[in-house]
Amino acid sequence: MSNKDTPPPSPVASRVIQPRFGELVQGCRQLAMNHLAELLGHVFAQVDDTLFECAEKAENNQVQALFFDAMREVRRERPNLERFYHQRIAQGLSDFLEGKLPRPESLDELDVDQLTLVGNDEYEETLLVTNMVNQVRAHCAQLLFALDQRLALLNNGSKLGEDRNPFGPHAIAQAFRDTLARSVFPLRIKTILYVLFDQQVMQHLQPLYKQLNKRLADGGILPNLKYRPQGQRPAPAPQPAAAEKASVATDGGDYAPPPHTAGDLPDMPPGDRNALFGGLAVLLAEHRRRGDNATLFGNTQSIVSFGPATASTTYSANELLEALNRLQRESAHELAHRLRQPQPVDALKAGLQRQLEAGSAQPHNTRLNDQEADVIDLVGMVFDFILDDENLPDSCKTTLSHLHTPFLKVALLDKQLFTQHHHPARKLLNAMAQAGVLYGGEGEERALLAKLHWIVERVIQDFVGDLSLFDTLLGDFNEYVANLRQKVELRERRAMEATRGRDRLLAAREQALEAITKVTQDRELPELVRNFLEMSWCDALTFIVLRSGEHSDEWKRACEVGEQLAWSVTPLDAAGAEHLQSIRLALLEELRKGLEVLGGYHEDGIRRLLQDLVACQHAIQAQQPQIAAQLNQKLPESPLGAMLGAEGHTLVKPSGEALSERVRVLMKELNHLEFGTWFEFSDTTPARRLKLSWFSPTTRNYMFVDHTGQRVAVKPIVQLAQEMEAGKVRLVPTEQTAPLMDRALNAIYRVLQRFTSGRGPAQT
């Protein structure tokens, strides 16, 4: 009998929670349900605003309709979606209470005949869910470890595993995925809902896990549990000296072991942060083996070169930490004055060496151990990168450079600074740098700089080893930046609304011009009538099409009036003259109404103009064109000119000039660009970076704003593509918009890789 004929083992492990713990777990269940219900409510409260904002930025009417339809559908389905989500969460918790947790699925039990290809949409959803789950696991590693251990005890000692914890991020995210699976939303809408779920639910799970652990601990479930990170193993046996030099310890968490030699490393930085840190450790070890003490990133010297080369003993961890504490206290003196000048990396290393020697009994026979020297050099290179970063305003570089000493303490205490995206100190540094890039320009710079100074002062004066300080400061700083962002977004929204209104006016004016051109082409008209049609009556048609639309009776009648006026000043036969006599009064009345719409004419001016038009008609019909030519009344300024401003003539027909193949390719690429894409314009010194804020499908104009949200430029698509071809405009590379620490470590890796491979310095 084949394996397929054998009844499969039960997928459920029957371990009912012990009765004495039932009330405790029920309390945890209620706590989780209440917390998740509140967070899910925040998700749906944000849906309308988010979809409406997406609809405003939609690239065409079809996509815009998709967002509006989704708004209505989500609103209609919200009660059902919330109910189903809570049922899934409740079912998972009930299964845990009843001991019905499914066993992890073994690959040996899979039937090859049942395997199917994963659809594109399903794959995308899997990536979205996996990413948000992994971020929570990284950010809440200690809390989840403790919760897993406590739940394992409740589960009769059987370990749950990451994906089987009923309170875990996988269960919470999977319940939302199962909820969306019941809907008919396309992937584009689901993606928005996943992003909102991540922002409003997944990123706010830490308080829930703290409360669950506290409740379980208070209930006697492992009250004295200590955190032991996953993947932590007993210390290995002593290694050979070469291998020992090639390793830099990481505190906590699993990570891929680095290659043994620099030759095993890829040329480009690994995408995985743990692999990147391991690679940097190998490169630094190779750099140290070669004795290249003066060729670090930024051309600064290694900390090793500041100490005695022949020392036989090494500083203890406590001695190094005390030296850093003294250095930090020293930097706190006259800090306001110090913040005006950058903190050079070499000067800080010299100061650290001075403090080490001052606290040592054998200053000339003691050195740093290799691992600590590598960390000091790596942090120094990060701050060298900050001082050289072209993205940052000089004032922000100067301010951030003074975080060098406390961040060196952080790195020596916790190597996850280099490997964990959610490390509080790393997040704070990234947030401050990003704010400097976005809002460090003119106007907002002074207020932002004052806030950055305050953050730096707090870190230097208050950081003694407790990383929660960075979380506190990050929360405060994020609140400040959110207020700043609101001001910028308000300016940008106003600029976009003004441009959109101007664009509608411009498009309406173009439509009116086309109607006037049809009337005037192939006709020799007196100057008075031609000017009147092309200026005043064109403006009247513009306002009519804006008010009533191109299919309205008012628009059609106004076009007929223009046609009748042009016809009336051409030579007519007897029948034509008789017809003109019969319609003249009605024609003049229609012209009067149209001019009154403009508001630029007074009653006397309208009366004189109409009299001149009638005189012009009589002169032409009397075959006296010289008299008609003398009637050239000065017309009032067009009110549209002031409304359109400098863009009054930007809507033009394609000139028909031959476009290069490169320009055509760029135009296609521009058509698919998302709003929010950053461009660099080299028409000023220094070059300026502007954000694509809006694109008009009518005029094909692109509107750009600066970091403060102010409109700076409007470019027709052809002109923009031609300037890109000429190298005057370029897209800002994606890597330059990445978080500061990511950019710094990648750049350091590339430079060290080139040094160790003998290719010399690299461009960062």
Side-chain angles (χ1 to χ4, degrees):
M1 185 171 66
S2 70
N3 290 338
K4 295 180 183 179
D5 298 326
T6 305
S10 171
V12 171
S14 180
R15 296 187 179 92
V16 178
I17 299 299
Q18 299 178 35
R20 63 192 179 97
F21 295 132
E23 184 177 346
L24 177 62
V25 179
Q26 284 287 7
C28 291
R29 177 182 185 275
Q30 193 60 45
L31 174 67
M33 293 293 293
N34 292 341
H35 189 83
L36 293 175
E38 180 182 356
L39 295 181
L40 189 65
H42 295 164
V43 173
F44 286 105
Q46 294 286 326
V47 169
D48 268 13
D49 288 345
T50 304
L51 290 177
F52 186 80
E53 184 177 350
C54 292
E56 279 193 321
K57 298 178 180 179
E59 58 269 28
N60 55 52
N61 292 338
Q62 184 178 0
V63 176
Q64 189 177 64
L66 171 70
F67 290 123
F68 283 131
D69 290 343
M71 285 172 59
R72 289 188 291 271
E73 186 64 20
V74 171
R75 205 178 296 130
R76 187 176 66 84
E77 284 293 314
R78 175 177 177 175
N80 294 331
L81 294 173
E82 287 185 310
R83 182 169 56 254
F84 184 80
Y85 179 79
H86 296 319
Q87 288 173 349
R88 290 307 305 264
I89 292 293
Q91 185 61 50
L93 299 176
S94 297
D95 287 346
F96 174 73
L97 280 169
E98 298 171 10
K100 295 180 180 178
L101 290 179
R103 291 195 182 98
E105 194 172 31
S106 170
L107 291 177
D108 296 336
E109 297 173 1
L110 293 177
D111 188 342
V112 177
D113 295 336
Q114 297 176 354
L115 294 178
T116 60
L117 290 174
V118 176
N120 216 23
D121 287 3
E122 184 178 353
Y123 176 70
E124 292 291 337
E125 285 192 72
T126 300
L127 284 180
L128 288 167
V129 171
T130 301
N131 286 339
M132 67 173 75
V133 169
N134 287 340
Q135 288 177 7
V136 176
R137 285 175 178 163
H139 188 54
C140 304
Q142 296 190 27
L143 294 169
L144 287 171
F145 169 80
L147 188 59
D148 285 343
Q149 300 303 309
R150 291 187 167 104
L151 293 180
L153 179 62
L154 297 178
N155 197 36
N156 292 284
S158 178
K159 188 177 180 181
L160 299 177
E162 289 183 333
D163 294 346
R164 300 168 70 219
N165 183 337
F167 301 102
H170 179 271
I172 291 170
Q174 186 60 42
F176 191 68
R177 181 176 185 177
D178 293 341
T179 301
L180 293 186
R182 294 168 52 85
S183 69
V184 294
F185 301 130
L187 179 61
R188 189 164 185 175
I189 302 302
K190 285 186 177 181
T191 301
I192 293 172
L193 295 175
Y194 277 122
V195 170
L196 289 174
F197 186 79
D198 185 28
Q199 294 172 347
Q200 302 298 328
V201 178
M202 302 298 285
Q203 294 181 24
H204 295 82
L205 291 178
Q206 188 178 51
L208 172 63
Y209 295 142
K210 286 181 178 178
Q211 293 177 47
L212 289 172
N213 274 304
K214 184 178 186 305
R215 180 162 295 192
L216 291 170
D218 291 347
I221 309 299
L222 301 179
N224 300 313
L225 178 65
K226 300 296 183 183
Y227 173 58
R228 180 180 64 79
Q230 290 185 342
Q232 194 177 62
R233 298 174 178 85
Q239 302 176 358
E244 181 180 342
K245 287 182 179 181
S247 66
V248 176
T250 57
D251 294 343
D254 293 327
Y255 75 100
H260 294 293
T261 66
D264 297 333
L265 293 171
D267 287 340
M268 298 304 294
D272 179 80
R273 282 185 290 272
N274 289 313
L276 173 62
F277 182 55
L280 287 168
V282 173
L283 291 171
L284 285 167
E286 178 65 18
H287 180 274
R288 187 172 57 251
R289 184 185 66 79
R290 296 184 179 198
D292 299 331
N293 293 334
T295 54
L296 288 174
F297 179 95
N299 291 323
T300 55
Q301 293 183 320
S302 170
I303 186 65
V304 174
S305 65
F306 289 85
T310 58
S312 59
T313 61
T314 59
Y315 292 107
S316 68
N318 284 337
E319 287 177 311
L320 176 56
L321 187 59
E322 279 304 312
L324 283 169
N325 287 336
R326 290 193 296 273
L327 193 63
Q328 185 173 332
R329 288 193 294 270
E330 184 181 276
S331 66
H333 292 299
E334 298 182 355
L335 184 56
H337 176 73
R338 290 173 181 266
L339 288 176
R340 299 174 188 171
Q341 300 295 327
Q343 167 65 66
V345 173
D346 273 346
L348 185 137
K349 289 181 178 178
L352 175 58
Q353 182 63 36
R354 175 170 45 82
Q355 293 292 348
L356 284 168
E357 292 175 355
S360 173
Q362 304 180 60
H364 302 297
N365 192 39
T366 312
R367 62 177 179 85
L368 291 161
N369 69 47
D370 291 341
Q371 288 75 30
E372 289 169 342
D374 284 347
V375 171
I376 293 170
D377 284 341
L378 185 53
V379 173
M381 286 186 279
V382 168
F383 279 87
D384 259 328
F385 178 88
I386 291 173
L387 288 169
D388 290 338
D389 190 5
E390 295 180 355
N391 294 335
L392 279 168
D394 290 341
S395 57
C396 295
K397 296 179 190 180
T398 297
T399 304
L400 294 180
S401 70
H402 290 272
L403 289 173
H404 191 157
T405 302
F407 268 73
L408 184 50
K409 284 172 62 176
V410 171
L412 290 165
L413 292 169
D414 183 7
K415 307 303 185 298
Q416 290 190 31
L417 173 69
F418 301 112
T419 61
Q420 294 298 326
H421 177 70
H422 287 287
H423 191 284
R426 180 170 178 151
K427 286 174 67 177
L428 179 62
L429 183 61
N430 285 339
M432 294 170 72
Q434 184 184 35
V437 171
L438 291 179
Y439 311 117
E442 295 181 4
E444 303 292 350
E445 181 177 12
R446 184 173 300 177
L448 175 63
L449 193 59
K451 189 66 177 180
L452 294 177
H453 281 184
W454 181 82
I455 295 286
V456 172
E457 289 171 358
R458 283 288 309 276
V459 171
I460 291 176
Q461 293 171 358
D462 297 348
F463 178 63
V464 292
D466 184 3
L467 294 179
S468 66
L469 172 66
F470 294 97
D471 271 325
T472 301
L473 294 176
L474 178 63
D476 181 276
F477 187 69
N478 283 344
E479 184 177 348
Y480 171 81
V481 172
N483 292 331
L484 195 58
R485 187 185 303 115
Q486 283 182 350
K487 296 178 184 177
V488 172
E489 289 175 350
L490 180 60
R491 289 194 202 104
E492 183 177 350
R493 192 177 303 117
R494 287 173 176 169
M496 185 173 65
E497 289 170 354
T499 304
R500 181 184 286 124
R502 189 177 292 109
D503 184 77
R504 288 183 62 235
L505 188 57
L506 200 58
R509 185 170 182 271
E510 176 67 12
Q511 193 168 355
L513 281 172
E514 289 180 359
I516 294 299
T517 300
K518 291 179 182 178
V519 169
T520 58
Q521 66 184 359
D522 301 328
R523 280 176 171 158
E524 291 186 11
L525 301 177
E527 185 177 359
L528 171 64
V529 175
R530 181 175 293 277
N531 287 344
F532 173 79
L533 287 170
E534 291 180 348
M535 296 173 60
S536 299
W537 200 245
C538 181
D539 285 356
L541 287 174
T542 301
F543 285 117
I544 289 171
V545 75
L546 283 172
R547 182 177 61 190
S548 305
E550 60 184 302
H551 301 295
S552 65
D553 292 338
E554 188 179 0
W555 164 262
K556 294 175 183 176
R557 178 57 185 149
C559 290
E560 290 174 4
V561 168
E563 169 65 29
Q564 288 175 347
L565 178 60
W567 167 80
S568 72
V569 290
T570 57
L572 303 174
D573 56 18
E578 184 179 351
H579 180 63
L580 173 57
Q581 185 65 25
S582 68
I583 69 169
R584 180 177 283 122
L585 290 178
L587 175 61
L588 293 175
E589 183 59 27
E590 292 289 350
L591 290 172
R592 177 188 299 277
K593 290 179 181 177
L595 293 174
E596 287 174 347
V597 169
L598 296 179
Y601 287 88
H602 297 294
E603 185 63 31
D604 289 344
I606 294 176
R607 178 173 50 79
R608 287 194 299 270
L609 177 59
L610 294 181
Q611 288 173 349
D612 285 348
L613 291 176
V614 171
C616 194
Q617 291 172 344
H618 285 305
I620 294 298
Q621 302 313 321
Q623 298 183 358
Q624 295 177 322
Q626 69 279 6
I627 296 178
Q630 295 172 3
L631 298 168
N632 189 16
Q633 183 182 135
K634 184 178 180 181
L635 300 175
E637 290 290 333
S638 167
L640 287 180
M643 297 176 70
L644 290 171
E647 294 169 33
H649 301 285
T650 58
L651 180 59
V652 294
K653 293 294 185 183
S655 62
E657 65 175 303
L659 299 176
S660 70
E661 183 60 30
R662 176 60 179 158
V663 168
R664 294 181 185 277
V665 171
L666 287 169
M667 288 174 65
K668 289 182 180 179
E669 293 175 355
L670 287 170
N671 280 326
H672 294 91
L673 274 185
E674 296 181 355
F675 297 136
T677 302
W678 287 92
F679 286 70
E680 186 172 88
F681 291 77
S682 57
D683 56 348
T684 60
T685 303
R688 55 182 179 169
R689 289 190 175 181
L690 304 176
K691 184 175 71 171
L692 173 60
S693 178
W694 185 66
F695 165 71
S696 168
T698 306
T699 61
R700 307 196 78 191
N701 286 342
Y702 286 75
M703 186 188 85
F704 295 91
V705 298
D706 61 15
H707 291 133
T708 69
Q710 298 284 4
R711 189 185 70 167
V712 174
V714 176
K715 299 275 187 180
I717 185 172
V718 174
Q719 180 186 350
L720 183 59
Q722 290 172 335
E723 291 180 357
M724 292 178 72
E725 180 189 36
K728 298 177 182 178
V729 179
R730 71 182 184 107
L731 288 170
V732 175
T734 306
E735 60 269 18
Q736 292 189 22
T737 61
L740 173 70
M741 279 286 288
D742 296 71
R743 291 190 290 113
L745 294 177
N746 285 337
I748 294 166
Y749 180 97
R750 287 194 294 268
V751 171
L752 291 179
Q753 177 69 300
R754 290 184 67 86
F755 282 151
T756 55
S757 64
R759 288 175 287 175
Q763 296 297 323
T764 60

